[in-house]
Each structure stands twice: as structure tokens, then as C-alpha cells.
Amino acid sequence: MDLLLLLLAFSVLVVVRQRLLYPARLDEWRYSFGTEHRDARQALHVARLTKRTVEGEDRQQVSVAERRVADMVRSGKERLSGLEREREELLRPGPGERVDRLGLLRLHRHALLVLEGAREQETLPAGVDEELPLAGLKVKPQFAPENSFIHLTRPDGTKRTVAFPRSVYQESAVQDFANRIHNTAVADGALRSTRQNRAAEIASQIKRVKADIAAKEKTGRREVAELVEAQRTDARRTRATADWEAECDDWQHLTGCRPKWWWRW
């Protein structure tokens, strides 16, 4: 039963398709199916197929051209994104890798982190109370009977002090750590100048890449538009359209009905 319904549905579709491709009045089925009009249907089919093939090839050419432009733009934007990421990393390198730690101070390549609370054991998690970039940071140790101190002066002149109880931290350890902060800050300052110079070079590259993308995209869009216009007036396409219209005229003269181009299949 299911097979019978399927065959019936398929037959209906075939009939409908044939009537759409080769239209005629409802009571004149011979034009759509009769052998006496097979040549007329074949001529209409050839004209339709030729026109469809020509337009399909034209669309394919335009699609290839548009895809080429899109690929070029995408490639340029990927390069642009890479340059922008590199510049951002140079200007904002973050703390960098860890160098050393003493108490609530954790020294990294590009920053000194002041940790929260009194969680000084290495195995316990600790939040960050403040991140002090090493660029422009000044450090000065001070020693008192009960505590040693490291005084930190930010580039804007504001200060912060971290205490180290003598019962836990030896004076020499505090002095060594203060020296380590200073030396790391000096090294970071030298690298910072190099990073800024490189960031400036990348900024110039970014401008050039943006201009190059815009110019190539404009040229590509113009070439696509020129291709579309050339196709519109192409002799092969003009002839295919003229042949189709002529066959439609013949079919309409024969049947009184004009084929619709949007029923192409």
C-alpha cells in the first residue's frame, strides 16, 4: 500500500512538472504529453537548458570572483588581528612569569604582586590585593627592631609598605628580596623600551595593512561589478536569452500559454 501511494505521488509530481514546463490550457494535454508536439517541447527544452547553462556558468564566475575577494579580505583581517594581538601583548604584557616570593610579595618579570591577607604558606591559595607594574616602581628596605619593611613608591609618587616580622624573616632575606625587585625592575625597564619601539613599528604596519585591505577590497568589488556588466552584454548570453524568448513566442502561438522562466526544472 505504501509503495502504491509512493508511486502515485511520484506520478502526480511528474505530471505537474511536465505541465509547468510545457504549459497549455487545462483541457489540452496533448501539447504537454502528445508525441505530435514532441519537437516543439524539445526545442523549448534545449532553449531553456542553454539559457540555464549560460546563466549558471556566469553565476559560477561571479561566485569565484566574490570568493576570491572575500578570501583576500579575510586573510588581511587575520593578519591584522595577529598584529593587533602582538601590539597589545607588547604594551600590556601582564605580570609575566614568576621570579620569586617573600611573604605577601610575589615578584614577576613585569610586576610585583601584593597578596591579600596573611596567607603566606606557599601551598595555600592567595588572592591579589594589588598589581604594581615594575616600570617606574621604586623600592627601599628599612629595618627596625621587631619588623623589616619594604617601602614601595609607585610612579605617581604614592607609597605602600609591606612588613616582615623579624621572627619569621631574616634581615638579609628582606634585603636580598628588595634588591631582586630593583634589579628585575631595571631589566624590565630596558625591555619595556624595546617593547614600545616594536609596538610603534607594529602600529605603522597595522595602518599599512588596513589601507592595503581597503584598496584590494575596493579593486576586487569593482572587478566583480565589471564582470557582472560584461556578462549582461555578453553575446553568448544575449543569444541564449533571445533563443529562449523566440521559443516561448512559438510555444505561446501554438498553445496560447507562455512558459515561465522560473519553472526551469
Side-chain angles (χ1 to χ4, degrees):
M1 187 64 179
D2 290 344
L3 180 58
L4 182 60
L5 290 175
L6 185 61
L7 290 174
L8 179 60
F10 178 74
S11 299
V12 170
L13 287 175
V14 170
V15 171
V16 171
R17 175 183 179 275
Q18 190 75 356
R19 292 286 284 178
L20 290 172
L21 290 176
Y22 308 105
R25 295 184 178 91
L26 290 178
D27 59 342
E28 294 179 334
W29 289 64
R30 66 184 185 279
Y31 295 113
S32 301
F33 297 95
T35 56
E36 68 271 27
H37 298 294
R38 180 181 298 163
D39 291 344
R41 290 196 301 271
Q42 180 63 21
L44 188 62
H45 168 72
V46 170
R48 177 187 283 114
L49 180 62
T50 301
K51 186 172 186 291
R52 185 177 67 200
T53 300
V54 170
E55 291 184 354
E57 290 174 353
D58 285 352
R59 285 194 299 272
Q60 180 66 20
Q61 289 178 352
V62 172
S63 177
V64 169
E66 289 178 336
R67 189 160 55 248
R68 184 167 57 247
V69 175
D71 289 344
M72 180 276 300
V73 172
R74 181 171 57 253
S75 176
K77 288 184 176 179
E78 287 175 356
R79 184 186 176 200
L80 189 62
S81 296
L83 289 171
E84 288 173 340
R85 282 195 302 271
E86 183 181 355
R87 182 172 180 270
E88 183 68 17
E89 290 170 1
L90 288 167
L91 294 176
R92 297 175 179 80
E97 65 181 280
R98 176 174 165 169
V99 175
D100 201 354
R101 175 178 173 175
L102 187 69
L104 297 180
L105 294 181
R106 194 168 72 209
L107 179 61
H108 290 248
R109 287 295 179 191
H110 309 300
L112 180 67
L113 304 186
V114 182
L115 307 180
E116 292 179 341
R119 294 177 173 178
E120 300 180 12
Q121 296 184 37
E122 193 66 34
T123 57
L124 294 178
V128 176
D129 182 62
E130 185 178 7
E131 179 179 322
L132 300 168
L134 292 182
L137 183 68
K138 295 180 181 179
V139 57
K140 179 181 178 181
Q142 180 185 6
F143 304 101
E146 295 184 0
N147 294 291
S148 297
F149 302 94
I150 290 182
H151 300 291
L152 304 168
T153 303
R154 304 178 184 89
D156 63 2
T158 58
K159 297 178 181 292
R160 178 164 188 170
T161 298
V162 179
F164 298 86
R166 280 181 173 273
S167 59
V168 179
Y169 302 99
Q170 295 182 1
E171 180 178 317
S172 59
V174 175
Q175 180 65 61
D176 289 345
F177 191 71
N179 292 341
R180 191 76 183 273
I181 296 172
H182 172 79
N183 294 338
T184 304
V186 170
D188 181 67
L191 289 175
R192 183 169 179 266
S193 176
T194 301
R195 289 198 305 268
Q196 288 179 331
N197 291 337
R198 174 57 183 158
E201 293 175 2
I202 292 175
S204 298
Q205 281 184 267
I206 288 173
K207 283 185 177 181
R208 290 195 297 271
V209 170
K210 284 182 177 180
D212 184 60
I213 292 173
K216 287 183 177 179
E217 183 174 16
K218 183 177 180 180
T219 299
R221 297 302 176 196
R222 185 181 66 249
E223 290 174 351
V224 170
E226 290 172 351
L227 174 61
V228 171
E229 179 60 22
Q231 289 176 348
R232 189 181 66 81
T233 57
D234 179 66
R236 182 167 172 252
R237 182 167 179 173
T238 301
R239 184 169 58 252
T241 300
D243 290 347
W244 163 252
E245 294 297 335
E247 291 299 332
C248 286
D249 290 341
D250 291 346
W251 186 266
Q252 186 175 13
H253 179 74
L254 177 67
T255 66
C257 297
R258 190 174 188 85
K260 304 294 185 183
W261 172 240
W262 32 277
W263 293 112
R264 291 182 292 174
W265 301 99

